[in-house]
Amino acid sequence: MEQQRSHSGSSLSPRSPSSSQPFLSVSVTDPVKLGNGVQAYISYRVITKTNFPEYQGPEKIVIRRYSDFVWLRDRLFEKYKGIFIPPLPEKSAVEKFRFSAEFIEMRRQALDIFVNRIASHHELQQSEDLRVFLQAEEETMERLRSQETGIFKKKPSDLMQIFKDVQSKVSDVVLGKEKPVEESDPEYEKLKHYIFELENHLAEAQKHAYRLVKRHRELGQSLSDFGKAVKLLGASEGNALGKAFSELGMKSEILSVKLQKEAHQLLMNFEEPLKDYVRAVQSIKATIAERGNAFRRQCELAETMKLKEINLDKLMLIRSDKVAEAEREYNELKAESEQATKTFETIVKLMNEEIGHFQEQKTLDMGIAFHEFAKGQARLANGIADAWRSLLPKLEACSSS
């Protein structure tokens, strides 16, 4: 299941190396807790196998922590505008769950899926940042993380200015001083509506999948408690009735184990894939926001260029000595505007390609997840029915006597 869901964005599987075909296979394994208290974290062994010539060799093993994966995601998001960067699993907000075996395994599986989606993407797999992530020593990664200058690394004074600028923009829009510049493409509007609706539906399905997991676990615990109580009851009885009660208790405990196992399978193979796609949609929304920024930047520069052109014409009419400087500013702005238009057009082109890949992979992954869900529920129902059915003759014999 994990491997089947790890390759979104490419038809080539990175886990199927062939000597005649280029391949890049990555495994995130062996999570280990390091440190104590608030400084504690989980490290992972990341194993890369490849025949790409730009890599150091056919196999490389490095140690990475969650913040290293965040670094890779942020670098790719900054450099590959228009491409849906695979999502990362969120941090646990509850301290007591951070180092539970189940949470660590879910995190490991999600990180494995994250990096293999990148490794199988025809554009992202060429990234220099991916090569650094997969090959650099721990000291190098630590240094690179410390050099990041994203919004959360800025000084408080810089952040305050950013927030003031945003607040001013919002106020202008609310008061009618400035109208937000948005695309009016009907196809793009349909895409945004689809993505926002999809997020809502996936989140709702994931919420109910969580409840199913919880219900299985609670029923399993109730059966375990019931089994213990009935076995004690059987021990206090004699003859056939006591034996029947004891067998009923044992069957209840066996079914309890089945339910707990099925709850875990339901979590890993059904709820987690749904949650993963909620995160994927949020990543797409981030790309949509970047497209909006690129469109607005393009429009702003085009408008500024018109004003510069009018000013240049005026200066030329009066034969001002400022014509040369104005021409230089106009040409610089024109080059910047052309680059902004090119950036926006590239984002549009890439997004159109990406949404097609996303929908194809979503159909495949959701089909697998729901098939696993139905298969697991059928297996559990049959197991429960067989267990209770096997007890009926003995219980009927006791009730008839």
Side-chain angles (χ1 to χ4, degrees):
M1 176 65 184
E2 171 192 341
Q3 294 180 6
Q4 287 173 300
R5 294 198 299 112
S6 297
H7 317 136
S8 180
S10 173
S11 59
L12 293 175
S13 167
R15 295 199 188 271
S16 305
S18 167
S19 58
S20 61
Q21 294 290 331
F23 71 89
L24 178 59
S25 169
V26 186
S27 299
V28 178
T29 64
D30 303 331
V32 175
K33 181 183 176 184
L34 299 174
N36 296 300
V38 294
Q39 300 297 323
Y41 65 93
I42 302 295
S43 74
Y44 305 87
R45 186 188 299 268
V46 179
I47 305 170
T48 303
K49 296 181 180 180
T50 184
N51 60 3
F52 284 11
E54 57 268 33
Y55 278 73
Q56 295 171 3
E59 181 171 322
K60 180 73 175 180
I61 301 175
V62 295
I63 303 299
R64 294 290 178 259
R65 55 187 297 181
Y66 180 78
S67 53
D68 295 322
F69 290 86
V70 173
W71 174 87
L72 176 61
R73 190 271 317 276
D74 290 349
R75 296 282 289 184
L76 294 176
F77 183 77
E78 185 63 32
K79 293 182 179 181
Y80 291 86
K81 303 297 184 183
I83 291 178
F84 301 156
I85 305 303
L88 278 171
E90 63 275 3
K91 283 192 170 184
S92 174
V94 183
E95 180 67 25
K96 67 178 181 179
F97 294 138
R98 278 181 64 207
F99 300 112
S100 69
E102 186 172 79
F103 176 79
I104 289 172
E105 174 55 22
M106 285 193 299
R107 165 72 64 81
R108 183 209 63 77
Q109 178 175 296
L111 293 175
D112 187 276
I113 291 171
F114 163 77
V115 75
N116 272 285
R117 281 177 172 161
I118 295 169
S120 65
H121 193 285
H122 64 285
E123 289 280 348
L124 300 180
Q125 67 178 202
Q126 304 300 325
S127 164
E128 173 63 25
D129 293 312
L130 177 62
R131 289 197 290 275
V132 169
F133 173 83
L134 294 176
Q135 297 182 114
E137 299 302 323
E138 291 175 73
E139 294 79 8
T140 302
M141 284 303 306
E142 187 174 354
R143 186 175 70 253
L144 289 170
R145 289 199 315 271
S146 67
Q147 292 172 352
E148 283 301 287
T149 56
I151 185 170
F152 296 110
K153 298 284 185 178
K154 290 182 180 291
K155 294 182 292 185
S157 58
D158 296 331
L159 287 175
M160 285 303 297
Q161 188 58 51
I162 289 172
F163 295 144
K164 285 178 180 177
D165 291 344
V166 171
Q167 188 178 36
S168 176
K169 284 283 187 182
V170 171
S171 297
D172 288 344
V173 171
V174 171
L175 296 173
K177 296 179 183 177
E178 179 181 326
K179 292 183 179 179
V181 181
E182 299 290 347
E183 282 186 73
S184 58
D185 180 1
E187 288 300 314
Y188 182 51
E189 288 302 315
K190 281 173 61 177
L191 170 62
K192 289 196 292 184
H193 179 75
Y194 164 73
I195 291 300
F196 280 82
E197 285 289 296
L198 180 62
E199 181 183 29
N200 291 336
H201 296 325
L202 283 170
E204 188 70 12
Q206 187 266 320
K207 179 178 73 174
H208 290 292
Y210 166 78
R211 290 176 180 173
L212 280 171
V213 173
K214 185 179 179 184
R215 179 174 172 272
H216 278 52
R217 285 179 168 164
E218 289 173 347
L219 181 56
Q221 185 59 52
S222 296
L223 273 173
S224 175
D225 296 339
F226 173 72
K228 290 182 176 69
V230 171
K231 281 169 70 177
L232 290 172
L233 180 61
S236 67
E237 296 286 342
N239 304 324
L241 183 61
K243 188 176 180 181
F245 281 173
S246 295
E247 288 194 30
L248 177 61
M250 285 188 290
K251 289 289 184 184
S252 297
E253 290 180 331
I254 290 170
L255 288 177
S256 168
V257 173
K258 283 182 180 291
L259 276 160
Q260 296 293 354
K261 285 182 178 178
E262 193 54 48
H264 181 72
Q265 291 299 315
L266 191 61
L267 173 68
M268 302 302 289
N269 296 336
F270 190 59
E271 187 200 345
E272 273 300 301
L274 287 171
K275 189 186 293 184
D276 176 57
Y277 265 90
V278 172
R279 294 190 291 255
V281 169
Q282 290 167 351
S283 178
I284 294 173
K285 286 172 65 179
T287 305
I288 288 174
E290 286 296 309
R291 174 169 169 167
N293 291 337
F295 180 77
R296 285 186 287 275
R297 178 63 177 161
Q298 171 192 244
C299 293
E300 288 167 3
L301 286 171
E303 193 65 30
T304 306
M305 203 169 77
K306 287 179 185 177
L307 297 174
K308 288 282 186 183
E309 188 174 10
I310 293 170
N311 183 57
L312 178 59
D313 289 342
K314 287 180 179 178
L315 292 173
M316 291 177 73
L317 281 172
I318 63 174
R319 297 182 180 181
S320 170
D321 56 359
K322 295 182 179 179
V323 168
E325 182 182 352
E327 279 185 328
R328 180 182 58 78
E329 290 179 356
Y330 175 78
N331 289 330
E332 288 176 355
L333 188 64
K334 183 179 179 182
E336 188 177 356
S337 178
E338 288 173 351
Q339 181 57 49
T341 299
K342 184 179 178 182
T343 297
F344 172 71
E345 290 172 349
T346 300
I347 289 175
V348 171
K349 177 177 176 291
L350 288 172
M351 278 190 68
N352 290 338
E353 294 172 359
E354 290 284 297
I355 198 65
H357 292 316
F358 170 78
Q359 289 173 319
E360 289 175 9
Q361 193 67 38
K362 174 175 63 67
T363 299
L364 174 63
D365 290 345
M366 290 296 99
I368 292 171
F370 278 88
H371 178 261
E372 289 294 316
F373 167 71
K375 190 167 67 173
Q377 293 303 293
R379 181 175 58 241
L380 179 63
N382 289 334
I384 291 173
D386 289 343
W388 293 137
R389 194 178 294 114
S390 68
L391 281 175
L392 289 179
K394 292 178 182 178
L395 295 173
E396 286 171 354
C398 290
S399 60
S400 62
S401 62

